[in-house]
Amino acid sequence: MAFDYDKYMRPGKLPHIWCPGCAHGIVMKSIIRAIDRVGLDKDRTVIVSGIGCASRMPGYVDFNTLHTTHGRSLAFATGVKLADPSLNVICVAGDGDALAIGGNHFIHACRRNIDITMVVFNNNIYGMTGGQFSPTTPHGKLASTTPYGNPDYAFDVVELSMGAGATYVSRGTVYHAVPLERQIADGITHKGMSVIDALCTCPTTYGRRNKLGSATDMILWFKDNTVGIKAAERLSPEERAEKILTGVFRQDIKPEYCEEYQKIIDMAKGA
Amino acid sequence: MSGKEVFYQGNEACAEGALYAGCRFFGGYPITPSTEVAEFLSRRLPRVGGAFIQMEDEIAAMASIIGASLVGKKSLTATSGPGMSLKLENIGFACITEVPCVIVNVMRGGPSTGLPTGPGQSDVMQAKWGTHGDHPAIALAPASVQEIFNETVRAFNISERLRTPVILLTDEIIGHMREKITIPEKGELEIWDRPRPDCPPEEYLPYDTSKGIIPPMADFGSGYRWHVTGLNHDASGFPTNKPSLVQPEEERLMAKVTENLDIIEKYEHLTKDGAKVGIVAYGSSARSANAAIRLALEEGIPVDFIRPITLWPYPSQPTIEMAEKVDTIVVPEMNLGQMIDEVQRCIEGRAKVVGVNRVDGDPITPENILEKIREVA
Ligand SMILES: Cc1ncc(C[n+]2csc(CCOP(=O)(O)OP(=O)(O)O)c2C)c(N)n1
Ligand code: SF4
Ligand SMILES: [Mg+2]
């Protein structure tokens, strides 16, 4: 039977603001399917975002939704979660939102290992403001503010999340939508901070400027240029260096923030 | 007032007042001279099943309390100068989304890092105009430790009832000063909660004002699924840029304050026969003003006094009355002249207005003010 998206979409809110060919819709779809797979109660689920094209996603879906200020989704979400740890809290953020202006909140949410699932819509660019470089724009690439090529080097979202202490860390792509959905579902069920680096595309402000072909070409690029971490073991170091690794990089059981705080409440009440 | 007597610092009284008002969430970041509010609540909040969190910065602290308030918890943050500057963007978010919360600014000296351990009153205009865009502003400025307790309770009450952030402006002097205060018995002070919806969830429109200027607010997780955005929005809560919807909504945010002055405005107005000099002073400067008025009277100079306890919206009416009676109004403040502009604005030339201003990190003394009184009397 066909998947019933209507159950999760807010009536009358489409069409969305995204450009034709924008891959943010695929990530949204993966999140909805993951929520359905896990069976979350819509009333008990909060979706939080910052500002950017990706961050407009919560407006379309029928949950408790919170569209905040640029970069701050995790900080708002931390208040929501700690105020009522029984709520399911999911954050959606663009790469700029999550890692530039929101970078501090990102590493600290990871460090606390608070039970929030963070999906980074990583299109390597500031889409909404017209294509300025972001912390994940590769070195040398063109953006409206790097007319001579990007002098910066990009963050690796997976390495950053693991270094900061997130306990579920994965990377998927919009070409591999089914594994992406599974990763998001696993991130939601995982107790602790989960980061899913969802590689996606902005044909309008990034693809065109860097001559990456059509919207479809950009998505197909992931097919040939990514490799699962298991399969990567069979490649030579040179071959591997050419590819972006995908899959689940970490899934650890560690004390979760709200559970630790509950211990403090119990202790203080006893005192 | 019956209740428990304690010898408290202003910052402790603020934290105790917050608990009395029903605060169950605090998000903060350490900064002198406000830190004791956080320290006190880190101890006390878990005892009542509430939560305290030290966030990574003040931006995050402000964000966290808005998030917690959306879940239905009365929420507080406390900071000083540099931290207040960082909170501003998210304070505007709370204004436009109409999420109740209380922000304490224990004012210190100087711009930037300035005088971290010295008092100041230089953030009074920031409290009104700090966040960008037109927005409603409510700021309370207590002048004693007991008043800090009471005004913190009132800050929560107003914030809840009007669904808007309220700023409590204290300063290093009263924040750190100890005085004996009475913590009233439970029930002695009224506690107000935000209006919550009673319609079926499918009929809920989060910004529906057909039944009044302050729409009921549903807790996240309570079955009313709604959308919160800092974009201008319509009654359903979803973004709109339709001029015919944006203008009335922005005007309504302001009207929440202007149409509820009866619960917001609070001031002391003391008059003396034949006074030709008046003083307008707030916060710790009002304490020195009080002493100066006593000393002046001993010298035979009667002086009228207005002490705004609610600083924003500013109490224009008594100030106009004062201006119609006296020749000169003295405005002592620990800044280089901020509320003096507001006094001048509302009296429209009815009297002469002069300032007594200090930003050197020392309090304004009664003598500083007395000197000015003698000069203009
Ligand atoms: C404080 C602040 N600074 C700057 C902006 C402008 N701004 C809006 S979206 C955005 C970047 C969005 O890029 P990203 O997070 O990667 O999301 P995308 O649009 O690519 O999905 C910026 C810089 C803002 N809204 N707020
Ligand atoms: S600008 Fe880029 S990221 Fe934004 S909607 Fe268009 S394609 Fe998507
Ligand atoms: Mg982006």
Side-chain angles (χ1 to χ4, degrees):
Chain A
M1 206 177 77
F3 187 90
D4 180 16
Y5 288 98
D6 285 349
K7 184 175 161 198
Y8 297 99
M9 301 302 290
R10 283 188 164 123
K13 295 302 164 198
L14 294 179
H16 53 64
I17 63 153
W18 298 319
C19 307
C22 175
H24 281 352
I26 303 175
V27 187
M28 171 167 76
K29 207 170 134 170
S30 303
I31 294 173
I32 292 172
R33 296 178 70 109
I35 287 174
D36 186 73
R37 189 190 274 246
V38 177
L40 296 187
D41 177 353
K42 292 201 287 186
D43 284 339
R44 302 296 299 162
T45 301
V46 183
I47 303 191
V48 190
S49 69
I51 296 291
C53 297
S55 290
R56 294 301 281 266
M57 178 270 190
Y60 306 122
V61 292
D62 187 17
F63 299 90
N64 303 279
T65 52
L66 176 53
H67 176 224
T68 69
T69 46
H70 191 27
R72 318 299 175 198
S73 63
L74 281 167
F76 281 80
T78 298
V80 169
K81 183 72 185 176
L82 184 58
D84 184 354
S86 70
L87 292 169
N88 311 298
V89 182
I90 299 170
C91 277
V92 300
D95 41 307
D97 190 73
L99 305 166
I101 193 163
N104 200 27
H105 312 309
F106 185 87
I107 56 175
H108 288 278
C110 291
R111 175 180 62 79
R112 286 186 197 104
N113 194 34
I114 187 163
D115 190 16
I116 294 172
T117 304
M118 170 70 150
V119 182
V120 182
F121 290 49
N122 187 352
N123 59 7
N124 313 101
I125 200 78
Y126 286 5
M128 178 153 271
T129 41
Q132 301 75 32
F133 75 99
S134 89
T136 62
T137 305
H139 180 72
K141 291 290 183 198
L142 298 175
S144 74
T145 47
T146 55
Y148 305 105
N150 182 15
D152 289 18
Y153 287 87
F155 266 146
D156 179 322
V157 180
V158 166
E159 297 283 344
L160 180 67
S161 310
M162 293 201 295
T167 46
Y168 180 93
V169 180
S170 75
R171 179 183 290 127
T173 89
V174 287
Y175 177 80
H176 307 88
V178 177
L180 178 62
E181 170 191 329
R182 203 179 310 123
Q183 287 174 17
I184 298 169
D186 288 349
I188 293 170
T189 18
H190 176 78
K191 192 95 196 153
M193 178 72 186
S194 307
V195 179
I196 293 97
D197 182 18
L199 302 185
C200 57
T201 56
C202 171
T204 307
T205 77
Y206 184 67
R208 198 179 295 159
R209 188 175 267 115
N210 286 287
K211 302 198 165 44
L212 301 178
S214 69
T216 329
D217 293 336
M218 287 180 76
I219 292 175
L220 286 172
W221 186 90
F222 291 127
K223 175 170 178 263
D224 302 324
N225 292 281
T226 62
V227 59
I229 37 179
K230 288 266 155 53
E233 285 168 11
R234 294 192 294 273
L235 302 180
S236 70
E238 296 75 36
E239 287 171 317
R240 211 182 312 166
E242 300 275 289
K243 305 275 188 193
I244 299 171
L245 299 189
T246 58
V248 180
F249 293 79
R250 175 185 280 178
Q251 196 163 12
D252 284 350
I253 309 290
K254 285 229 173 108
E256 190 274 330
Y257 188 81
C258 298
E259 289 183 348
E260 288 300 294
Y261 198 80
Q262 185 56 47
K263 289 183 198 161
I264 288 176
I265 293 177
D266 296 340
M267 209 189 307
K269 280 186 168 167
Chain B
M1 201 155 59
S2 65
K4 195 171 111 197
E5 283 194 343
V6 289
F7 189 57
Y8 263 180
Q9 191 193 52
N11 285 342
E12 293 167 340
C14 171
E16 191 77 72
L19 290 172
Y20 188 96
C23 171
R24 290 297 175 268
F25 189 95
F26 180 95
Y29 189 83
I31 186 164
T32 305
S34 75
T35 305
E36 295 83 4
V37 180
E39 289 171 339
F40 189 99
L41 288 170
S42 71
R43 232 171 19 247
R44 291 283 298 280
L45 269 171
R47 284 191 213 163
V48 293
F52 165 92
I53 187 166
Q54 182 172 310
M55 294 297 285
E56 51 274 16
D57 58 31
E58 287 86 351
I59 301 173
M62 188 61 217
S64 75
I65 71 163
I66 298 171
S69 184
L70 279 161
V71 178
K73 300 281 159 74
K74 293 187 187 177
S75 302
L76 178 76
T77 189
T79 192
S80 299
M84 193 64 184
S85 294
L86 288 181
K87 287 183 195 296
L88 292 176
E89 186 193 8
N90 283 337
I91 291 175
F93 182 86
C95 289
I96 196 171
T97 55
E98 301 179 66
V99 176
C101 53
V102 176
I103 302 106
V104 181
N105 178 0
V106 186
M107 293 183 284
R108 63 191 226 184
S112 188
T113 309
L115 297 171
T117 57
Q121 293 182 312
S122 301
D123 307 342
V124 291
M125 282 293 165
Q126 181 196 48
K128 169 122 176 92
W129 299 111
T131 196
H132 59 278
D134 289 296
H135 58 274
I138 301 175
L140 313 182
S144 70
V145 177
Q146 181 74 57
E147 202 168 66
I148 289 178
F149 179 96
N150 293 28
E151 289 305 294
T152 305
V153 174
R154 209 166 68 90
F156 272 100
N157 281 349
I158 295 171
S159 173
E160 288 284 317
R161 184 160 290 180
L162 302 186
R163 287 190 59 185
T164 195
V166 173
I167 295 172
L168 189 83
L169 285 173
T170 67
D171 60 62
E172 193 277 334
I173 298 172
I174 50 171
H176 281 162
M177 181 174 67
R178 284 185 184 276
E179 287 178 326
K180 194 173 79 176
I181 69 162
T182 306
I183 302 168
E185 301 288 355
K186 193 167 176 252
E188 198 167 327
L189 299 185
E190 251 187 79
I191 302 299
W192 301 344
D193 289 326
R194 65 193 67 177
R196 288 187 166 87
D198 49 16
C199 64
E202 55 289 0
E203 284 170 23
Y204 180 57
L205 284 175
Y207 299 99
D208 174 20
T209 51
S210 58
K211 292 211 185 80
I213 192 168
I214 293 135
M217 175 172 169
D219 299 345
F220 269 9
S222 68
Y224 294 78
R225 296 187 302 274
W226 59 295
H227 185 57
V228 182
T229 178
L231 286 161
N232 282 88
H233 40 260
D234 60 20
S236 72
F238 289 93
T240 183
N241 48 17
K242 253 194 209 155
S244 62
L245 294 176
V246 171
Q247 174 103 7
E249 269 299 281
E250 290 216 10
E251 285 173 357
R252 178 178 65 81
L253 293 184
M254 307 302 265
K256 291 201 297 184
V257 172
T258 51
E259 291 183 15
N260 285 289
L261 292 181
D262 54 327
I263 62 164
I264 308 172
E265 268 198 345
K266 194 172 173 188
Y267 55 85
E268 239 176 43
H269 188 179
L270 306 172
T271 54
K272 300 222 160 56
D273 284 344
K276 287 290 148 211
V277 181
I279 290 184
V280 174
Y282 53 92
S284 63
S285 300
R287 299 170 74 99
S288 300
N290 243 325
I293 290 167
R294 253 194 333 268
L295 296 172
L297 198 62
E298 283 167 18
E299 295 181 13
I301 314 173
V303 179
D304 281 3
F305 186 31
I306 290 173
R307 181 171 74 88
I309 301 168
T310 297
L311 207 54
W312 299 115
Y314 180 78
S316 308
Q317 204 44 46
T319 313
I320 292 169
E321 281 166 31
M322 175 185 268
E324 274 166 357
K325 176 179 168 194
V326 304
D327 298 330
T328 310
I329 298 177
V330 180
V331 185
E333 33 181 0
M334 285 185 286
N335 57 47
L336 291 178
Q338 295 196 19
M339 289 313 291
I340 193 173
D341 286 352
E342 185 64 15
V343 172
Q344 260 157 347
R345 189 193 63 76
C346 72
I347 67 168
E348 295 177 314
R350 287 177 178 90
K352 205 173 138 205
V353 186
V354 295
V356 176
N357 306 93
R358 271 187 96 151
V359 289
D360 58 358
D362 278 337
I364 294 179
T365 62
E367 290 69 31
N368 293 150
I369 301 169
L370 184 63
E371 226 171 275
K372 186 61 81 181
I373 293 173
R374 287 196 198 112
E375 196 182 302
V376 300

PDB file of all heavy atoms in Angstrom, chain A residues 36-60:
ATOM      1  N   ASP A  36       6.927   7.663  11.173  1.00  0.00           N
ATOM      2  CA  ASP A  36       5.879   6.651  11.020  1.00  0.00           C
ATOM      3  C   ASP A  36       6.408   5.259  11.392  1.00  0.00           C
ATOM      4  O   ASP A  36       5.755   4.497  12.097  1.00  0.00           O
ATOM      5  CB  ASP A  36       5.391   6.656   9.571  1.00  0.00           C
ATOM      6  CG  ASP A  36       4.202   5.736   9.388  1.00  0.00           C
ATOM      7  OD1 ASP A  36       3.115   6.110   9.850  1.00  0.00           O
ATOM      8  OD2 ASP A  36       4.372   4.644   8.802  1.00  0.00           O
ATOM      9  N   ARG A  37       7.622   4.988  10.961  1.00  0.00           N
ATOM     10  CA  ARG A  37       8.246   3.695  11.248  1.00  0.00           C
ATOM     11  C   ARG A  37       8.377   3.470  12.756  1.00  0.00           C
ATOM     12  O   ARG A  37       8.098   2.395  13.271  1.00  0.00           O
ATOM     13  CB  ARG A  37       9.642   3.701  10.607  1.00  0.00           C
ATOM     14  CG  ARG A  37      10.365   2.380  10.613  1.00  0.00           C
ATOM     15  CD  ARG A  37      11.815   2.612  10.179  1.00  0.00           C
ATOM     16  NE  ARG A  37      11.970   2.582   8.732  1.00  0.00           N
ATOM     17  CZ  ARG A  37      12.665   1.644   8.089  1.00  0.00           C
ATOM     18  NH1 ARG A  37      13.246   0.669   8.741  1.00  0.00           N
ATOM     19  NH2 ARG A  37      12.800   1.683   6.781  1.00  0.00           N
ATOM     20  N   VAL A  38       8.768   4.546  13.455  1.00  0.00           N
ATOM     21  CA  VAL A  38       8.938   4.436  14.907  1.00  0.00           C
ATOM     22  C   VAL A  38       7.585   4.497  15.619  1.00  0.00           C
ATOM     23  O   VAL A  38       7.434   3.990  16.733  1.00  0.00           O
ATOM     24  CB  VAL A  38       9.861   5.585  15.412  1.00  0.00           C
ATOM     25  CG1 VAL A  38      10.022   5.560  16.911  1.00  0.00           C
ATOM     26  CG2 VAL A  38      11.223   5.495  14.742  1.00  0.00           C
ATOM     27  N   GLY A  39       6.614   5.111  14.969  1.00  0.00           N
ATOM     28  CA  GLY A  39       5.274   5.179  15.547  1.00  0.00           C
ATOM     29  C   GLY A  39       5.110   6.275  16.592  1.00  0.00           C
ATOM     30  O   GLY A  39       4.420   6.098  17.593  1.00  0.00           O
ATOM     31  N   LEU A  40       5.752   7.434  16.355  1.00  0.00           N
ATOM     32  CA  LEU A  40       5.632   8.523  17.339  1.00  0.00           C
ATOM     33  C   LEU A  40       4.213   9.083  17.358  1.00  0.00           C
ATOM     34  O   LEU A  40       3.555   9.188  16.326  1.00  0.00           O
ATOM     35  CB  LEU A  40       6.614   9.663  17.002  1.00  0.00           C
ATOM     36  CG  LEU A  40       8.098   9.366  17.051  1.00  0.00           C
ATOM     37  CD1 LEU A  40       8.884  10.669  16.859  1.00  0.00           C
ATOM     38  CD2 LEU A  40       8.499   8.695  18.367  1.00  0.00           C
ATOM     39  N   ASP A  41       3.781   9.494  18.552  1.00  0.00           N
ATOM     40  CA  ASP A  41       2.494  10.152  18.739  1.00  0.00           C
ATOM     41  C   ASP A  41       2.665  11.618  18.321  1.00  0.00           C
ATOM     42  O   ASP A  41       3.530  12.322  18.856  1.00  0.00           O
ATOM     43  CB  ASP A  41       2.134  10.028  20.241  1.00  0.00           C
ATOM     44  CG  ASP A  41       0.837  10.738  20.595  1.00  0.00           C
ATOM     45  OD1 ASP A  41       0.269  11.439  19.733  1.00  0.00           O
ATOM     46  OD2 ASP A  41       0.404  10.580  21.760  1.00  0.00           O
ATOM     47  N   LYS A  42       1.831  12.068  17.397  1.00  0.00           N
ATOM     48  CA  LYS A  42       1.976  13.442  16.892  1.00  0.00           C
ATOM     49  C   LYS A  42       1.847  14.479  18.017  1.00  0.00           C
ATOM     50  O   LYS A  42       2.543  15.488  18.024  1.00  0.00           O
ATOM     51  CB  LYS A  42       0.913  13.723  15.818  1.00  0.00           C
ATOM     52  CG  LYS A  42       1.129  12.918  14.551  1.00  0.00           C
ATOM     53  CD  LYS A  42       0.426  13.540  13.354  1.00  0.00           C
ATOM     54  CE  LYS A  42      -1.078  13.353  13.397  1.00  0.00           C
ATOM     55  NZ  LYS A  42      -1.716  13.845  12.150  1.00  0.00           N
ATOM     56  N   ASP A  43       0.946  14.210  18.955  1.00  0.00           N
ATOM     57  CA  ASP A  43       0.741  15.159  20.060  1.00  0.00           C
ATOM     58  C   ASP A  43       1.951  15.256  20.976  1.00  0.00           C
ATOM     59  O   ASP A  43       2.123  16.251  21.686  1.00  0.00           O
ATOM     60  CB  ASP A  43      -0.459  14.721  20.913  1.00  0.00           C
ATOM     61  CG  ASP A  43      -1.779  15.034  20.222  1.00  0.00           C
ATOM     62  OD1 ASP A  43      -1.788  15.908  19.340  1.00  0.00           O
ATOM     63  OD2 ASP A  43      -2.782  14.390  20.581  1.00  0.00           O
ATOM     64  N   ARG A  44       2.752  14.208  20.997  1.00  0.00           N
ATOM     65  CA  ARG A  44       3.871  14.164  21.946  1.00  0.00           C
ATOM     66  C   ARG A  44       5.213  14.383  21.243  1.00  0.00           C
ATOM     67  O   ARG A  44       6.263  14.039  21.778  1.00  0.00           O
ATOM     68  CB  ARG A  44       3.876  12.819  22.696  1.00  0.00           C
ATOM     69  CG  ARG A  44       2.583  12.528  23.464  1.00  0.00           C
ATOM     70  CD  ARG A  44       2.323  13.513  24.593  1.00  0.00           C
ATOM     71  NE  ARG A  44       3.378  13.483  25.580  1.00  0.00           N
ATOM     72  CZ  ARG A  44       3.582  14.461  26.471  1.00  0.00           C
ATOM     73  NH1 ARG A  44       2.813  15.526  26.477  1.00  0.00           N
ATOM     74  NH2 ARG A  44       4.555  14.358  27.341  1.00  0.00           N
ATOM     75  N   THR A  45       5.139  14.905  20.025  1.00  0.00           N
ATOM     76  CA  THR A  45       6.367  15.113  19.253  1.00  0.00           C
ATOM     77  C   THR A  45       6.517  16.598  18.923  1.00  0.00           C
ATOM     78  O   THR A  45       5.560  17.245  18.519  1.00  0.00           O
ATOM     79  CB  THR A  45       6.310  14.278  17.956  1.00  0.00           C
ATOM     80  OG1 THR A  45       6.151  12.909  18.322  1.00  0.00           O
ATOM     81  CG2 THR A  45       7.577  14.447  17.130  1.00  0.00           C
ATOM     82  N   VAL A  46       7.728  17.118  19.145  1.00  0.00           N
ATOM     83  CA  VAL A  46       8.015  18.519  18.876  1.00  0.00           C
ATOM     84  C   VAL A  46       9.121  18.583  17.821  1.00  0.00           C
ATOM     85  O   VAL A  46      10.157  17.932  17.971  1.00  0.00           O
ATOM     86  CB  VAL A  46       8.480  19.249  20.161  1.00  0.00           C
ATOM     87  CG1 VAL A  46       8.706  20.729  19.886  1.00  0.00           C
ATOM     88  CG2 VAL A  46       7.463  19.065  21.293  1.00  0.00           C
ATOM     89  N   ILE A  47       8.882  19.354  16.768  1.00  0.00           N
ATOM     90  CA  ILE A  47       9.921  19.527  15.745  1.00  0.00           C
ATOM     91  C   ILE A  47      10.371  20.977  15.762  1.00  0.00           C
ATOM     92  O   ILE A  47       9.557  21.900  15.641  1.00  0.00           O
ATOM     93  CB  ILE A  47       9.410  19.107  14.354  1.00  0.00           C
ATOM     94  CG1 ILE A  47       8.920  17.643  14.426  1.00  0.00           C
ATOM     95  CG2 ILE A  47      10.532  19.244  13.320  1.00  0.00           C
ATOM     96  CD1 ILE A  47       8.626  17.012  13.099  1.00  0.00           C
ATOM     97  N   VAL A  48      11.664  21.158  15.942  1.00  0.00           N
ATOM     98  CA  VAL A  48      12.233  22.490  16.141  1.00  0.00           C
ATOM     99  C   VAL A  48      13.201  22.801  15.005  1.00  0.00           C
ATOM    100  O   VAL A  48      13.968  21.919  14.585  1.00  0.00           O
ATOM    101  CB  VAL A  48      12.989  22.560  17.496  1.00  0.00           C
ATOM    102  CG1 VAL A  48      13.370  23.998  17.829  1.00  0.00           C
ATOM    103  CG2 VAL A  48      12.167  21.952  18.630  1.00  0.00           C
ATOM    104  N   SER A  49      13.187  24.038  14.526  1.00  0.00           N
ATOM    105  CA  SER A  49      14.147  24.421  13.489  1.00  0.00           C
ATOM    106  C   SER A  49      14.668  25.817  13.760  1.00  0.00           C
ATOM    107  O   SER A  49      14.177  26.529  14.640  1.00  0.00           O
ATOM    108  CB  SER A  49      13.482  24.371  12.106  1.00  0.00           C
ATOM    109  OG  SER A  49      12.516  25.400  11.999  1.00  0.00           O
ATOM    110  N   GLY A  50      15.664  26.216  12.956  1.00  0.00           N
ATOM    111  CA  GLY A  50      16.217  27.571  13.051  1.00  0.00           C
ATOM    112  C   GLY A  50      15.707  28.403  11.886  1.00  0.00           C
ATOM    113  O   GLY A  50      14.495  28.487  11.668  1.00  0.00           O
ATOM    114  N   ILE A  51      16.624  28.991  11.122  1.00  0.00           N
ATOM    115  CA  ILE A  51      16.236  29.790   9.962  1.00  0.00           C
ATOM    116  C   ILE A  51      17.018  29.313   8.743  1.00  0.00           C
ATOM    117  O   ILE A  51      18.204  29.022   8.826  1.00  0.00           O
ATOM    118  CB  ILE A  51      16.519  31.297  10.207  1.00  0.00           C
ATOM    119  CG1 ILE A  51      15.658  31.845  11.368  1.00  0.00           C
ATOM    120  CG2 ILE A  51      16.292  32.119   8.941  1.00  0.00           C
ATOM    121  CD1 ILE A  51      14.167  31.957  11.100  1.00  0.00           C
ATOM    122  N   GLY A  52      16.354  29.267   7.613  1.00  0.00           N
ATOM    123  CA  GLY A  52      16.966  28.828   6.363  1.00  0.00           C
ATOM    124  C   GLY A  52      15.915  28.072   5.574  1.00  0.00           C
ATOM    125  O   GLY A  52      14.795  27.864   6.053  1.00  0.00           O
ATOM    126  N   CYS A  53      16.279  27.661   4.361  1.00  0.00           N
ATOM    127  CA  CYS A  53      15.311  26.890   3.557  1.00  0.00           C
ATOM    128  C   CYS A  53      14.943  25.611   4.302  1.00  0.00           C
ATOM    129  O   CYS A  53      13.766  25.276   4.432  1.00  0.00           O
ATOM    130  CB  CYS A  53      15.902  26.553   2.198  1.00  0.00           C
ATOM    131  SG  CYS A  53      16.280  27.998   1.189  1.00  0.00           S
ATOM    132  N   ALA A  54      15.928  24.894   4.807  1.00  0.00           N
ATOM    133  CA  ALA A  54      15.664  23.639   5.512  1.00  0.00           C
ATOM    134  C   ALA A  54      14.745  23.878   6.697  1.00  0.00           C
ATOM    135  O   ALA A  54      13.842  23.089   6.979  1.00  0.00           O
ATOM    136  CB  ALA A  54      16.982  23.027   5.980  1.00  0.00           C
ATOM    137  N   SER A  55      14.973  24.981   7.382  1.00  0.00           N
ATOM    138  CA  SER A  55      14.240  25.251   8.618  1.00  0.00           C
ATOM    139  C   SER A  55      12.770  25.575   8.387  1.00  0.00           C
ATOM    140  O   SER A  55      12.004  25.704   9.339  1.00  0.00           O
ATOM    141  CB  SER A  55      14.917  26.390   9.383  1.00  0.00           C
ATOM    142  OG  SER A  55      16.154  25.939   9.896  1.00  0.00           O
ATOM    143  N   ARG A  56      12.352  25.716   7.126  1.00  0.00           N
ATOM    144  CA  ARG A  56      10.932  25.936   6.866  1.00  0.00           C
ATOM    145  C   ARG A  56      10.143  24.627   6.927  1.00  0.00           C
ATOM    146  O   ARG A  56       8.928  24.627   6.890  1.00  0.00           O
ATOM    147  CB  ARG A  56      10.738  26.598   5.498  1.00  0.00           C
ATOM    148  CG  ARG A  56      11.296  28.010   5.437  1.00  0.00           C
ATOM    149  CD  ARG A  56      10.670  28.952   6.461  1.00  0.00           C
ATOM    150  NE  ARG A  56       9.370  29.426   6.013  1.00  0.00           N
ATOM    151  CZ  ARG A  56       9.146  30.559   5.363  1.00  0.00           C
ATOM    152  NH1 ARG A  56      10.131  31.380   5.137  1.00  0.00           N
ATOM    153  NH2 ARG A  56       7.933  30.904   4.971  1.00  0.00           N
ATOM    154  N   MET A  57      10.852  23.510   7.014  1.00  0.00           N
ATOM    155  CA  MET A  57      10.199  22.204   6.998  1.00  0.00           C
ATOM    156  C   MET A  57       9.110  22.023   8.069  1.00  0.00           C
ATOM    157  O   MET A  57       8.018  21.521   7.769  1.00  0.00           O
ATOM    158  CB  MET A  57      11.279  21.111   7.095  1.00  0.00           C
ATOM    159  CG  MET A  57      10.771  19.704   7.139  1.00  0.00           C
ATOM    160  SD  MET A  57      10.482  19.213   8.860  1.00  0.00           S
ATOM    161  CE  MET A  57      10.186  17.491   8.716  1.00  0.00           C
ATOM    162  N   PRO A  58       9.344  22.441   9.330  1.00  0.00           N
ATOM    163  CA  PRO A  58       8.327  22.173  10.365  1.00  0.00           C
ATOM    164  C   PRO A  58       6.955  22.759  10.042  1.00  0.00           C
ATOM    165  O   PRO A  58       5.939  22.217  10.479  1.00  0.00           O
ATOM    166  CB  PRO A  58       8.916  22.815  11.624  1.00  0.00           C
ATOM    167  CG  PRO A  58      10.381  22.821  11.384  1.00  0.00           C
ATOM    168  CD  PRO A  58      10.548  23.065   9.913  1.00  0.00           C
ATOM    169  N   GLY A  59       6.909  23.842   9.273  1.00  0.00           N
ATOM    170  CA  GLY A  59       5.623  24.452   8.952  1.00  0.00           C
ATOM    171  C   GLY A  59       4.698  23.536   8.165  1.00  0.00           C
ATOM    172  O   GLY A  59       3.487  23.709   8.187  1.00  0.00           O
ATOM    173  N   TYR A  60       5.272  22.572   7.489  1.00  0.00           N
ATOM    174  CA  TYR A  60       4.469  21.717   6.607  1.00  0.00           C
ATOM    175  C   TYR A  60       3.919  20.473   7.299  1.00  0.00           C
ATOM    176  O   TYR A  60       3.050  19.807   6.776  1.00  0.00           O
ATOM    177  CB  TYR A  60       5.298  21.292   5.385  1.00  0.00           C
ATOM    178  CG  TYR A  60       5.877  22.480   4.661  1.00  0.00           C
ATOM    179  CD1 TYR A  60       7.259  22.617   4.458  1.00  0.00           C
ATOM    180  CD2 TYR A  60       5.043  23.507   4.204  1.00  0.00           C
ATOM    181  CE1 TYR A  60       7.784  23.735   3.819  1.00  0.00           C
ATOM    182  CE2 TYR A  60       5.556  24.618   3.569  1.00  0.00           C
ATOM    183  CZ  TYR A  60       6.927  24.728   3.377  1.00  0.00           C
ATOM    184  OH  TYR A  60       7.435  25.843   2.757  1.00  0.00           O
TER     185      TYR A  60
END
